Amino acid sequence: MDDRGDSFVAVRRISQGLDRGNNYHSTSAEVVAGSAAWLGRGLSCVCAQSTENDGRPSFDLTPAQEECLQRLQNRIDVAYDSSSAEHQEALRALWNAAFPEEELRGLVSEQWKEMGWQGKDPSTDFRGGGFISLENLLYFARKFPKSYQDLLRKQEGDRAMWEYPFAVAGVNITFMLIQMLDLEAVKPRTIVGATFLKFLEENESAFDLFYCITFKLMDQQWLAMHASYMDFNAVMKATRRQLESELLQEDIRRLEDLPSYSLLTQ
C-alpha cells in the first residue's frame, strides 16, 4: 500500500439503513476496522509502442487527447485542502445533496459518520483520492440523485449485516479508476486506458460519469456476491474486471453504451 492508502471501516446496518423518519443516526451503529481496497495504478490513433523501462506498450494520443488527459491529471494532482474556501464549499454542497433535510452543524462533526466517513472530519479520508474524489461524489449526487441516495441509504437488495461505508468506498473507487486507467502516466500503457481517452475527448466529464457507473456496478457486485465487509477487496477486483471487459467490447462508442450504465437512475 502506498502513501495514499487508508484504513477501512465497515458499518453494521441497523434495520434498513439510514432512515431520517425514524431518527436513525450512525451513533447507534457499531463500527469495525478492516483493511482498505486501494487497487492497481491511470484515441483516434491506437499506435502501440513498447516502453523501454517495463516492456509494456504505450499508445500515441492526438493533441486533443493529450490536452484532455492533462486537464484530468491536473484535477488528480489537487490535494484536498481543508483551509480552501472552494473545498469547504464543495464539502458543504456534498452534505446538502446527501441530506437536504438535515442542517450540517460543522465541517468537523459527528454527522459525517452518517455518510460513511471514518470519523468526524472527512478531510482525513480525502488523502487517498484528493479533491477529485470529493468532486466525483458531488457529481454523482447531482447527476444521478436516485442512484446516489439508493447507495447511500442501502435501499436496494438483501444487504449484509456489516455494510461498506458509502463515502470511504467512494474514495476507494476514485483511486481504483485512476490506477486502472493509468491516468498518472504521460500516455496510456493499456488498451483500456487508451479506450477511455477516446471517451474523455468527447466528454470532459467522462471520468466523473465513469465513476458513477463504477459505484453502481460495485454495489451490484456486492449484492450478487452476498458480500460483507471482509469481502470488499474481492468485490472491487470483480468490479474492475467487469469494467475492463465492458470497455473492450467492440460496439462501445461512448460510456453510455456500457452495459453497466443502465444500472444508473436519475
Side-chain angles (χ1 to χ4, degrees):
M1 183 180 297
D2 64 15
D3 61 359
R4 291 205 266 184
D6 211 334
S7 59
F8 179 83
V9 175
V11 179
R12 186 180 183 185
R13 280 200 326 121
I14 304 296
S15 182
Q16 294 301 313
L18 291 176
D19 184 352
R20 287 297 186 283
N22 292 328
N23 295 320
Y24 164 73
H25 292 273
S26 63
T27 52
S28 64
E30 298 177 54
V31 177
V32 62
S35 60
W38 302 111
L39 302 178
R41 177 186 149 116
L43 190 110
S44 300
C45 176
V46 180
C47 307
Q49 302 174 352
S50 295
T51 55
E52 296 180 0
N53 57 342
D54 60 10
R56 289 190 294 174
S58 64
F59 297 84
D60 287 339
L61 306 177
T62 66
Q65 289 168 348
E66 289 181 353
E67 291 179 10
C68 290
L69 177 58
Q70 184 60 61
R71 286 195 294 269
L72 181 54
Q73 288 175 335
N74 290 342
R75 290 179 62 195
I76 292 170
D77 288 341
V78 177
Y80 182 81
D81 181 359
S82 58
S83 66
S84 165
E86 177 189 359
H87 293 193
Q88 291 175 4
E89 184 57 32
L91 192 56
R92 291 190 186 94
L94 179 64
W95 176 268
N96 292 333
F99 305 123
E101 74 283 5
E102 182 176 343
E103 182 180 356
L104 179 65
R105 292 189 291 272
L107 293 180
V108 177
S109 169
E110 293 289 335
Q111 289 173 287
W112 288 108
K113 295 180 183 178
E114 299 174 32
M115 195 183 293
W117 299 106
Q118 296 182 88
K120 61 184 180 180
D121 183 2
S123 68
T124 62
D125 291 328
F126 283 126
R127 66 179 179 272
F131 183 55
I132 193 172
S133 60
L134 172 53
E135 291 181 310
N136 289 157
L137 280 166
L138 190 54
Y139 179 91
F140 191 12
R142 289 171 169 171
K143 183 72 173 179
F144 300 100
K146 174 66 164 60
S147 288
Y148 182 90
Q149 289 292 332
D150 286 347
L151 298 184
L152 172 65
R153 301 171 187 266
K154 304 294 192 295
Q155 291 182 331
E156 294 183 346
D158 183 15
R159 316 299 308 198
M161 178 62 72
W162 292 96
E163 278 289 310
Y164 65 85
F166 173 80
V168 176
V171 177
N172 274 258
I173 289 170
T174 296
F175 185 83
M176 184 269 281
L177 289 179
I178 292 171
Q179 301 289 293
M180 185 186 91
L181 300 172
D182 207 17
L183 294 177
E184 293 178 309
V186 173
K187 60 179 66 176
R189 294 168 293 182
T190 67
I191 187 63
V192 169
T195 298
F196 173 75
L197 285 184
K198 292 191 296 184
F199 304 141
L200 185 64
E201 182 181 10
E202 298 297 324
N203 180 3
E204 192 76 11
S205 299
F207 185 77
D208 301 272
L209 178 58
F210 197 40
Y211 172 90
C212 301
I213 296 170
T214 302
F215 211 142
K216 188 64 176 176
L217 176 61
M218 184 278 290
D219 190 74
Q220 184 192 58
Q221 295 279 0
W222 177 274
L223 293 173
M225 295 169 66
H226 303 287
S228 189
Y229 78 98
M230 289 297 290
D231 304 310
F232 189 78
N233 285 359
V235 171
M236 289 288 281
K237 291 176 182 177
T239 301
R240 176 170 176 165
R241 287 193 299 268
Q242 181 63 30
L243 290 170
E244 290 173 335
S245 175
E246 292 188 13
L247 281 173
L248 297 180
Q249 292 180 14
E250 292 184 0
D251 58 344
I252 303 300
R253 297 291 180 265
R254 55 184 191 143
L255 288 176
E256 289 86 348
D257 295 331
L258 295 175
S260 292
Y261 178 81
S262 64
L263 298 172
L264 290 166
T265 54
Q266 294 182 327

